[in-house]
Amino acid sequence: RGASRHHIDLLRVTAVQPPAAHDNLQVETQVLKDLSRVIHAREELRFDYATSSSTSADTPRRVHPHHLVTWRHHWYLVAWDRRRENWRTFRVDRLRRAAPTGARFTPRELPAKDAAAYVQQSLASYAARYDARVTVAAPREELAARRFLGSDISELPDGRCEVRISDDNLDWLAA
């Protein structure tokens, strides 16, 4: 019981949208524990990163890991990319051969109010495969409070709202 509490204390995780019971986050618990450990220790991490294209080779990365965030149906690592000298968001299920380097670092300040906001901003710039426009019979304030819907909510003259949302997964859009 004490070891479990220790692992929970190490986690720096933000759930923007809590994963639903049917979500397949495609990440083993041990991977999340290992990442949490290097985040907590402020230890540099190296890994090969697989892009979404199966024809591309993995890209080697060295990063200063900052935070783990769940967003929609994926885990993301927010980290300072040393080679690119900028903040990046990495899908955890695409990390290959992740290993701490032993080098310590002083954390930088995020370019957003928190890790969840940074992930949302970062992912908003990616083009998704599918776009949806949904008309919802609810006031804008109620929908805006549901962060997972994103920020593209337009009020219609009749009091309903139109929500524009994008994703690569049609099942998630339907849910």
Side-chain angles (χ1 to χ4, degrees):
R1 206 173 173 130
S4 294
R5 181 68 187 155
H6 174 72
H7 288 298
I8 290 170
D9 290 342
L10 286 178
L11 292 174
R12 289 188 67 194
V13 175
T14 300
V16 177
Q17 174 197 10
H22 66 277
D23 279 351
N24 177 5
L25 294 176
Q26 305 168 355
V27 177
E28 294 180 25
T29 304
Q30 189 59 49
V31 171
L32 297 174
K33 284 182 187 179
D34 292 344
L35 289 172
S36 295
R37 194 173 301 115
V38 297
I39 290 168
H40 182 73
R42 296 179 175 158
E43 192 172 354
E44 184 179 274
L45 182 69
R46 74 171 178 255
F47 55 86
D48 292 334
Y49 191 66
T51 63
S52 58
S53 169
S54 59
T55 59
S56 298
D58 290 354
T59 307
R61 301 292 180 116
R62 282 174 104 71
V63 303
H64 295 168
H66 185 278
H67 212 95
L68 287 169
V69 176
T70 60
W71 172 244
R72 296 187 177 164
H73 49 278
H74 296 289
W75 282 100
Y76 294 93
L77 173 67
V78 175
W80 175 264
D81 189 318
R82 289 192 56 213
R83 188 181 66 174
R84 296 188 180 187
E85 296 185 359
N86 206 347
W87 287 97
R88 292 288 188 257
T89 302
F90 301 97
R91 270 190 34 190
V92 173
D93 61 314
R94 294 182 182 167
L95 304 182
R96 308 285 184 258
R97 295 176 293 285
T101 67
R104 306 288 180 171
F105 64 90
T106 301
R108 288 173 166 76
E109 189 174 329
L110 280 172
K113 69 178 183 171
D114 57 37
Y118 178 75
V119 168
Q120 288 177 303
Q121 291 168 6
S122 175
L123 297 180
S125 66
Y126 294 118
R129 186 186 302 175
Y130 305 108
D131 293 315
R133 279 198 247 175
V134 181
T135 302
V136 181
R140 187 181 199 310
E141 298 77 33
E142 182 181 326
L143 296 175
R146 298 174 187 222
R147 293 179 70 180
F148 67 91
L149 287 176
S151 59
D152 199 357
I153 303 168
S154 303
E155 217 164 348
L156 300 173
D158 62 2
R160 298 179 302 159
C161 289
E162 179 182 84
V163 178
R164 291 178 183 224
I165 194 162
S166 302
D167 202 89
D168 288 333
N169 184 314
L170 281 175
D171 291 334
W172 189 91
L173 280 175

